Amino acid sequence: MTQARVLFFGLAVIYLAGVVVQFFLAGLGTFGATSFDAHQVFGLILALLTLVLLVLAVVGKVPRLLILLAVALLGLNVLQMFLARIDVDEIAALHVVNALAIVFVAYEIVQRSRRYLASKMAVP
């Protein structure tokens, strides 16, 4: 159980760093340095990581709020994939706004899981 909590925290940190990489890859595509292929593939990898995060949250029996945040992150990632494929530009532009929501939720997961893990590892 404790190992799942440590893995949950570690994967959350990796995920948050991966989101920063996603912004960089999007920038490369936007400014013409490369295509958006790397951004799309890496986005799929990040989406799969959210599923693993959710499984680790349940297995690690983390607090309910962390599980709900993991569910929210998974939902935001699914929404992100749909927004990227919508033909209405004004709706597709929400892809960037949703990315900010993803950053916020991922950051909350990192901070809350860090505090939770520290409280469980503290020597009484």
Side-chain angles (χ1 to χ4, degrees):
M1 193 169 4
T2 302
Q3 291 172 342
R5 293 173 185 160
V6 171
L7 286 172
F8 178 80
F9 170 70
L11 189 58
V13 170
I14 290 168
Y15 178 88
L16 185 57
V19 172
V20 173
V21 172
Q22 264 301 76
F23 273 95
F24 174 74
L25 294 173
L28 286 177
T30 300
F31 295 107
T34 65
S35 70
F36 282 101
D37 292 346
H39 177 74
Q40 290 173 342
V41 170
F42 197 65
L44 181 58
I45 292 168
L46 287 177
L48 292 173
L49 286 181
T50 61
L51 187 57
V52 176
L53 268 175
L54 180 56
V55 169
L56 287 172
V58 171
V59 170
K61 297 182 182 176
V62 299
R64 185 178 310 209
L65 181 58
L66 273 173
I67 293 173
L68 291 175
L69 285 171
V71 169
L73 190 61
L74 177 61
L76 288 170
N77 273 267
V78 170
L79 177 61
Q80 192 72 336
M81 289 185 283
F82 282 115
L83 288 172
R85 303 211 182 326
I86 294 201
D87 288 334
V88 181
D89 291 342
E90 291 81 6
I91 296 173
L94 292 173
H95 182 79
V96 179
V97 177
N98 192 55
L100 291 175
I102 288 171
V103 168
F104 175 75
V105 173
Y107 178 78
E108 281 297 305
I109 289 173
V110 167
Q111 291 303 312
R112 290 175 184 272
S113 63
R114 179 189 55 79
R115 285 193 300 267
Y116 176 69
L117 198 58
S119 73
K120 291 296 180 186
M121 300 273 197
V123 177

